[in-house]
């Protein structure tokens, strides 16, 4: 059966990096992978064309697709818009609208890039951690939220950090299932010493642990987790945490690997359907220059093949090809050592296609 993949380039460097992913997918298709690609609009690009960051059509396309590949959204041009029209709402709306509550963010250090990390090679070499971030709840979506004016005329901003037991339980199960297939260690990150909602989070994780005797569960406060990530990151196998903590910790984890330009992600619903995107943003500072690193997007395609399309061999091919171009010494500026020659986005993409 032909699988439909919706391609949403988005804004900034999104179209440039996604173009390289399309080259890779076209190549796999030519080699017999039964897929069909469709393009759609999201973020600022959708706002410009249709007046909304997540047009109904795009959500319908995403629902009808077997998997979605997204580039990035956002840019300075859109920052003055009313919040509901900003590009980020396109991304958040897709996550919520498709029920993509489980966000997997692997941070793997390619040995070839040990020198690209700002941390010492001996601290990061062999790094292989997976952050499981809750993606459709918590403070990102909690009500009430807003900015109100108090009686004395002063403004007050407020957001709500809220989790139901059922929401904690389903992300917990995701994480335990994954941990059991990896190193069998799960660290739940919370702020249970201060926030009631994350005390509940911890209780639910402890309860779930009874069902997964093969997984060793530990707990860490988020401040300590941030410190441990840069102090001794290899102590972690799988980490599970709330939406906002996961947003922050995954950026920190990205830098352990040398560049945020290397990190893919998968956002999955209860049935394993997913949206795949690099964890970096739209990088408006380098957009249009052809220098962005496409590897996080290509690795996101590999995750898509593995998690949503059940094509592990094709996923392996992409990951091996990425390893090979790194072996060949190809580097976009973000992963180049001082003085090392660099290649552009398209050159890197072409090299991966050739290595396939
Ligand atoms: C991410 C991004 C998004 C988030 C932004 C663009 C809304 O930072 O995917 O990590 O905060 O979730
Ligand atoms: Mg982020």
């Amino acid at each position: 059966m032909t699988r439909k993949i919706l391609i949403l380039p988005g804004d900034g460097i999104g179209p440039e990096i996604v173009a390289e992913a399309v080259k890779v997918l076209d190549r796999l298709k030519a080699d017999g992978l039964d897929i069909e690609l469709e393009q759609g609009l999201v973020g600022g690009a959708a706002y410009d064309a249709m007046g909304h960051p997540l047009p109904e059509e795009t959500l319908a396309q995403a629902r009808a697709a077997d998997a979605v590949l997204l580039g990035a959204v956002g840019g300075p041009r859109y920052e003055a818009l009313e919040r509901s029209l900003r590009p980020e709402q396109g991304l958040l709306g897709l996550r919520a609208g498709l029920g993509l509550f489980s966000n997997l963010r692997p941070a793997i250090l390619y040995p070839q890039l040990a020198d690209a990390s700002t941390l010492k090679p001996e601290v990061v070499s062999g790094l292989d951690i997976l952050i499981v971030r809750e993606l459709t709840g918590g403070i990102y979506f909690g009500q009430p939220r807003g900015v109100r004016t108090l009686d004395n005329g002063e403004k007050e901003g407020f957001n709500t950090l809220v989790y139901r037991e059922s929401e904690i339980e389903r992300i917990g199960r995701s994480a335990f299932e994954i941990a059991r297939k990896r190193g069998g260690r799960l660290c739940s990150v919370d702020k249970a010493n201060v926030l009631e909602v994350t005390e509940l989070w911890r209780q639910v994780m402890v309860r779930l642990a009874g069902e997964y005797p093969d997984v060793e569960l530990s707990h860490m406060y988020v401040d300590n987790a941030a410190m441990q990530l840069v102090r001794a990151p290899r102590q972690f196998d799988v980490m599970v945490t709330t939406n906002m903590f996961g947003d922050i910790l995954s950026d920190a984890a990205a830098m352990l690997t040398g560049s945020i330009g290397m990190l893919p992600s998968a956002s999955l619903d209860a049935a394993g359907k997913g949206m795949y995107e690099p964890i970096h943003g739209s990088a408006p500072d380098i957009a249009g220059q052809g220098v962005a690193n496409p590897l996080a997007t290509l690795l996101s395609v590999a995750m898509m093949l593995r998690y949503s399309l059940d094509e592990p061999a094709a996923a392996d091919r992409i990951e091996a090809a990425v390893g090979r171009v790194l072996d060949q010494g190809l580097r976009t500026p973000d992963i180049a050592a001082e003085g090392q020659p660099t290649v552009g986005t398209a050159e890197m993409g072409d090299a991966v296609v050739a290595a396939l």
Side-chain angles (χ1 to χ4, degrees):
M1 210 190 57
T2 306
R3 269 79 47 88
K4 235 194 244 166
I5 301 173
L6 177 64
I7 308 278
L8 300 174
D11 311 321
I13 59 171
E16 300 164 49
I17 53 178
V18 160
E20 303 312 309
V22 169
K23 285 182 192 167
V24 165
L25 285 165
D26 281 344
R27 174 54 201 262
L28 295 175
K29 195 174 166 181
D31 290 347
L33 186 70
D34 195 4
I35 53 169
E36 190 182 292
L37 308 186
E38 189 183 315
Q39 296 261 345
L41 290 167
V42 74
Y47 174 79
D48 290 337
M50 331 261 294
H52 197 278
L54 182 59
E56 268 306 317
E57 291 87 328
T58 303
L59 193 54
Q61 279 178 304
R63 289 208 168 103
D66 294 290
V68 180
L69 180 71
L70 185 135
V73 298
R77 279 206 295 133
Y78 308 104
E79 271 160 22
L81 288 173
E82 174 197 321
R83 180 164 293 273
S84 67
L85 294 177
R86 288 189 211 156
E88 290 75 12
Q89 294 306 312
L91 180 56
L92 296 172
L94 275 171
R95 290 172 179 173
L98 299 176
L100 307 173
F101 67 89
S102 180
N103 183 218
L104 313 184
R105 301 190 157 190
I108 294 168
L109 182 82
Y110 278 83
Q112 302 91 326
L113 297 182
D115 292 325
S117 176
T118 47
L119 275 80
K120 295 192 194 98
E122 60 267 30
V123 172
V124 291
S125 74
L127 181 86
D128 179 359
I129 63 188
L130 178 72
I131 296 181
V132 180
R133 169 187 176 193
E134 198 291 326
L135 202 61
T136 53
I139 200 165
Y140 271 50
F141 293 93
Q143 295 289 345
R145 62 190 298 157
V147 177
R148 61 191 161 213
T149 305
L150 302 174
D151 289 342
N152 68 0
E154 188 186 4
K155 282 189 182 156
E156 177 179 74
F158 54 102
N159 287 88
T160 303
L161 174 48
V162 57
Y163 273 112
R164 291 187 186 182
E165 280 184 292
S166 54
E167 288 178 292
I168 303 170
E169 206 177 301
R170 67 178 182 177
I171 192 66
R173 281 189 194 288
S174 260
F176 274 103
E177 293 290 340
I178 289 165
R180 118 179 318 174
K181 291 186 203 135
R182 289 180 39 113
R185 287 181 301 118
L186 177 63
C187 179
S188 170
V189 177
D190 61 41
K191 189 73 186 175
N193 51 344
V194 178
L195 304 173
E196 288 83 349
V197 45
T198 68
E199 195 175 358
L200 179 65
W201 176 283
R202 189 177 282 220
Q203 285 162 8
V204 172
M205 291 297 162
V206 168
R207 196 164 75 211
L208 279 178
E211 292 177 43
Y212 298 88
D214 47 334
V215 176
E216 183 196 313
L217 174 69
S218 61
H219 307 273
M220 207 176 267
Y221 297 140
V222 64
D223 49 350
N224 186 28
M227 181 171 76
Q228 296 301 331
L229 263 180
V230 291
R231 191 188 74 87
R234 281 177 309 184
Q235 70 186 279
F236 297 110
D237 175 17
V238 181
M239 303 173 90
V240 61
T241 192
T242 63
N243 202 340
M244 188 164 75
F245 294 167
D247 178 46
I248 298 166
L249 293 180
S250 60
D251 268 34
M255 282 323 287
L256 305 174
T257 71
S259 168
I260 198 166
M262 292 298 298
L263 259 68
S265 79
S267 306
L268 305 173
D269 73 3
K273 175 171 161 169
M275 180 161 84
Y276 298 81
E277 48 175 319
I279 82 153
H280 60 69
S282 57
D285 53 322
I286 57 165
Q289 298 174 22
V291 298
N293 184 350
L295 294 180
T297 312
L298 304 190
L299 293 169
S300 298
V301 172
M303 288 189 91
M304 168 190 289
L305 290 161
R306 184 164 286 125
Y307 288 98
S308 287
L309 303 183
D310 199 23
E311 297 282 354
D316 289 345
R317 263 183 87 190
I318 295 180
E319 286 162 359
V322 168
R324 215 161 303 138
V325 301
L326 294 176
D327 282 339
Q328 290 160 8
L330 270 74
R331 301 283 185 274
T332 43
D334 58 307
I335 50 173
E338 282 264 322
Q340 202 176 7
T342 61
V343 298
T345 311
E347 232 175 306
M348 188 61 118
D350 290 340
V352 173
V353 172
L356 278 173

